[in-house]
Amino acid sequence: MNDCSPTLGAIYAKWQEKGLFDCHPESDKPAFSIVIPPPNVTGNLHIGHALNYSLQDAICRYKRMKGFDVLWQPGTDHAGIATQMVVERMLAKEGVSRHDLGREKFLEKVWEWKAQSGGQIVNQLKHLGCSCDWRRERFTMDEGLSAAVRKVFVKMYKDGLIYRDKRLVNWDPKLQTAISDLEVVQKETVGKMWYFKYPLEGDASKFIMVGTTRPETLFGDTAVAVSDQDERYKDFVGKNVLIPIINKPIPVVTDEHADPEKGTGAVKITPAHDFNDFEVGKRHNLPLVNLLTKEAKLNENVPEKYRGMSPLEARPIVLEDIKALGLYDHEEDNPMTIPYGDRSDVIIEPWLTDQWFVDTSKLVGAAVDAVQKGDTKFIPDSWENMYYSWMENIQPWCISRQLWWGHQVPVWYGPDGKIFCEETEEEAKAAAEKHYGAATELTRDTDVLDTWFSSGLWAFSTLGWPNENDEHLKKYYPTSVLITGFDIIFFWVARMMMMSMYAMKQVPFKKIHLHGLVRDEKGQKMSKSKGNGIDPLEMCNKYGADALRFSLLIQEGSGRSVLMSEARVENYRNFTTKIWNAVRFCEMNECKKVEGFDLASVKLPVNKWIITKLSEAADTIAKWLDTYAFNEASNALYHFMWNTFCDWYLEAIKNIFYSDDEGAKAETRAVVAAVVDEMLKLVHPFMPFVSEELWDKTADRKEMLMETAWPALNAYEDKAVAENQDWIFNLVTTVRSVRSSVNIPAAAKITLKIKDATDAQHQNVESNAAILKSLAKVEDIQFVTETGAGEVAQVVDGMTLLIPLAGLIDVAKEKERITKDLQNVQAFVERTKAQLANAAFVSKAPEQVVADKRKALADSEQDIAKMQEVLKLLGA
RNA sequence: GGGCGAUUAGCUCAGCUGGUUAGAGCAUAUGCUUUACACGCAUAGGGUCUGCGGUUCGAAUCCGUAAUCGCCCACCA
């Protein structure tokens, strides 16, 4: 916590020292809890993390201010594959492989690494301002969390939900482990389809032609399948054909898998190397011939000349050999997808092994029901459909990994292979003794679990489970909301739902807010290879964490992508600077906090106006944050702060500060100080550092900004006064606009004449004369009954504004300007008249709509008359 | 092949249950060295709301359809 900014570091340290991040299970405040999506312990903060954590921090800070007892539960994930790879790479530099060390020593090295350089990301989170309860930091390999893993595994095993099976799995030959379906990414390529002949056994003149994308697997063929509807191959069914090269006879079988429409209608069946063929093999009791080693090299089941080659190396040689035999027919280009490992980026092979599976089909029911009942709500809810459809088509989850780093499967085998699944070795031994009638030597299963298995328990394992009496578990579970990226909805969200419904009989979180991906300015995914990444820490250093956070927050809505570029961060850095300068201005004008000042005593309309606007902004921002619409909330804050507070309010009160009305000055100073205080509270969830720093700078405080309550100012709102004030500001804009369009020099003071003002308008202008004069650069305001020559005119709200220009007026231009204006209003009047003449509209539309139209029509007609009057004077 | 989402100003997006003379930020133009801020202030220009059809007194908003783009899932002998 130093390379961001010493000041920010100090503020962060102070929050932490005061215990402001801590949860208080003993308090009677209502709970609000979030578990962090645990970053990999190997991780470095990237921009996607920055988005995810900024959202959570904003919500947590806001909820604290709203009176909740907040727990933001932090921690890291042991990240089986990633971590093992990191440590292996480190060892490789010393010329050591993990196999040189052996499992136990290697795991020691991993823990050493973790102690020294693991979890850097936790410190990086602090740079962002994350207000996690760090006392409660957890790691998925902690003893408590590991106990949770063992307990759930054993329970699932005993409930028949976890089983061991020999079947085809996705095998990663680089990492040499099985991986789950989700960890396989399909890449589009244009491959080839090769066609060649399988001669009929005993009659080489007859043959079946097959097409295949993987000719090198023919050594593992154990049948050729055709459709029972396919006349072409009727005579072959039940007979044998010979595998080219090795001349091994295999049967021709009929199977639904063979589609007469595709290829030649005949399929070679390689049950040990293709998922579909595996199923065909099962239906026909075909033998399984495994051709690959765990490195995915051809093994002893292929002729010697091919052994040790990779499938891709063997393929052209096999094809040459088929050609040499005269069995080759032709080839075609074939668009296809090839499976790759998401971590290793090598081709994944279906491979026959013993693995552990979760029978997810038995878990999905409760997980789906919970969402259908609304116990967990998706935000945005469009994700629910995707969740349902994935759940409905769920496949068994392969949870075993042939790695060393991870939760070792709590399974021991007896000498006869009997399985003892228990939470501890002692229990397993006891069970074995009972089973065999004597103490028996057991060997432990060497597999570890898929990292997502432990992540699936994260929402309750971090809160103390399996200790059901843990006060944190009791108070904070189910958690209030999970905030995470939609990309891990299946990996994590769905699994958490299943695991939680199974182990806890409760949902893990009541809401789930799914946010989009961070992309570059052009909407492209950020990647190292493209070099279009944005480093969040660099942005923090250059522009401050607040600017980075805000540029992320203001874009996050409806789960859409968040586009990032340095220019955007820079842009919102300007916003932090603006706040800084505004507060500085207030200080310079001696706006000091007045103890005991009662906002209800405020008299000046402009002050009542800002208080009303502030109150409205507090409610609006709260409303949006409550619905996780971070973009809307951020926009509301930006608009209030910059537009309402700086551009209007501070400009409007300058004339008070420069006047000698001490009473008005005193009231305004007190109001400014109070408004700044409340405004900083609104800023705080979004930009905690700058707001806290200004809070500290502007007064002697008993409490830090972070621990203050969210503004509740509805009692001080005065909507009527605020509306009048809005009208005055609109009038200012109108005058400025006229000035600009007739090129009155910016610095020139003008006289403003107002004709046909109503009493209310007159009064409003009178009481805001000073503001009007200073903001519109008006020297003198006069209420008149006649228009004079040489005056620029503008009709607004039934009044005619007149600005004498001492003969400088360009009559032709004036006519054009007013005529254009007039035409717009006339067009509106025509439309509205037509609408009101429509009997169907008048009878069917709501009364209020019709009344509003009538009023607008009348007003516009009045304005038209005044414009025509002006034009007449111009000599039209 | 199945599903989902998007299409509104030059760019990025608001516009919730149909009634606004369709908004914001950025960018652009013009004018401002106004004693908080040029990382600023003021003003302005800019949109037949992707096309077509329908429902309705009334459609950016609802329905259908087409096109384009994006994403997810499945399959590809």
Side-chain angles (χ1 to χ4, degrees), chain A residues 93-125:
Chain A
K93 279 186 195 153
E94 301 161 21
V96 184
S97 85
R98 74 181 152 111
H99 299 284
D100 299 335
L101 290 177
R103 185 167 184 145
E104 218 166 294
K105 279 263 186 299
F106 176 75
L107 290 181
E108 274 173 32
K109 286 277 178 199
V110 180
W111 282 108
E112 255 172 53
W113 170 86
K114 198 243 170 194
Q116 280 168 15
S117 40
Q120 281 189 42
I121 193 164
V122 165
N123 286 318
Q124 295 169 338
L125 286 186

Side-chain angles (χ1 to χ4, degrees), chain A residues 131-194:
Chain A
S131 57
C132 307
D133 188 344
W134 295 111
R135 302 168 308 164
R136 299 189 46 76
E137 186 181 341
R138 295 291 184 269
F139 179 51
T140 46
M141 289 286 280
D142 282 350
E143 182 40 42
L145 279 72
S146 301
V149 167
R150 290 193 297 271
K151 186 166 176 123
V152 170
F153 186 98
V154 171
K155 183 170 154 57
M156 289 180 116
Y157 176 79
K158 291 186 174 170
D159 286 348
L161 293 170
I162 284 182
Y163 57 92
R164 187 169 172 77
D165 196 8
K166 191 182 204 72
R167 39 181 290 176
L168 281 193
V169 294
N170 299 299
W171 183 261
D172 186 317
K174 182 176 173 194
L175 302 168
Q176 295 184 17
T177 177
I179 57 177
S180 74
D181 298 347
L182 286 177
E183 290 160 279
V184 177
V185 291
Q186 304 288 342
K187 293 194 187 175
E188 305 264 346
T189 51
V190 178
K192 297 266 189 215
M193 174 88 85
W194 288 277

Side-chain angles (χ1 to χ4, degrees), chain A residues 445-487:
Chain A
D445 194 311
T446 54
D447 286 354
V448 300
L449 290 170
D450 181 0
T451 304
W452 296 106
F453 190 93
S454 50
S455 320
L457 316 179
W458 185 250
F460 50 92
S461 65
T462 50
L463 298 180
W465 193 87
N467 175 10
E468 305 276 356
N469 291 318
D470 189 294
E471 55 179 351
H472 299 90
L473 189 68
K474 282 184 175 165
K475 180 157 186 186
Y476 303 112
Y477 193 85
T479 61
S480 309
V481 65
L482 180 76
I483 297 181
T484 193
F486 70 83
D487 51 322

Side-chain angles (χ1 to χ4, degrees), chain A residues 129-268:
Chain A
C130 292
S131 57
C132 307
D133 188 344
W134 295 111
R135 302 168 308 164
R136 299 189 46 76
E137 186 181 341
R138 295 291 184 269
F139 179 51
T140 46
M141 289 286 280
D142 282 350
E143 182 40 42
L145 279 72
S146 301
V149 167
R150 290 193 297 271
K151 186 166 176 123
V152 170
F153 186 98
V154 171
K155 183 170 154 57
M156 289 180 116
Y157 176 79
K158 291 186 174 170
D159 286 348
L161 293 170
I162 284 182
Y163 57 92
R164 187 169 172 77
D165 196 8
K166 191 182 204 72
R167 39 181 290 176
L168 281 193
V169 294
N170 299 299
W171 183 261
D172 186 317
K174 182 176 173 194
L175 302 168
Q176 295 184 17
T177 177
I179 57 177
S180 74
D181 298 347
L182 286 177
E183 290 160 279
V184 177
V185 291
Q186 304 288 342
K187 293 194 187 175
E188 305 264 346
T189 51
V190 178
K192 297 266 189 215
M193 174 88 85
W194 288 277
Y195 291 87
F196 48 88
K197 300 164 187 171
Y198 283 54
L200 185 65
E201 188 183 31
D203 182 357
S205 69
K206 294 191 172 136
F207 59 85
I208 284 186
M209 178 105 73
V210 301
T212 179
T213 55
R214 302 203 60 182
E216 71 282 2
T217 63
L218 59 77
F219 305 118
D221 290 353
T222 52
V224 169
V226 297
S227 165
D228 59 357
Q229 304 295 311
D230 200 326
E231 296 295 327
R232 292 172 291 180
Y233 303 115
K234 247 193 163 123
D235 294 344
F236 288 86
V237 176
K239 296 179 180 160
N240 286 341
V241 291
L242 299 172
I243 299 176
I245 303 174
I246 55 174
N247 288 320
K248 180 179 162 187
I250 51 171
V252 177
V253 299
T254 58
D255 192 276
E256 66 209 35
H257 174 57
D259 181 348
E261 306 289 313
K262 286 188 188 166
T264 63
V267 198
K268 68 194 262 313

Side-chain angles (χ1 to χ4, degrees), chain A residues 738 742-744 788-793 802-815 817-818 870 873-874:
Chain A
V738 174
V742 300
N743 296 321
I744 295 173
E791 290 173 344
V792 172
L802 299 159
I803 302 171
L805 266 194
L808 294 173
I809 171 169
D810 181 331
V811 177
K813 266 195 172 169
E814 266 305 281
K815 272 190 208 164
R817 192 174 66 83
I818 292 166
V870 171
L873 278 172
L874 286 169

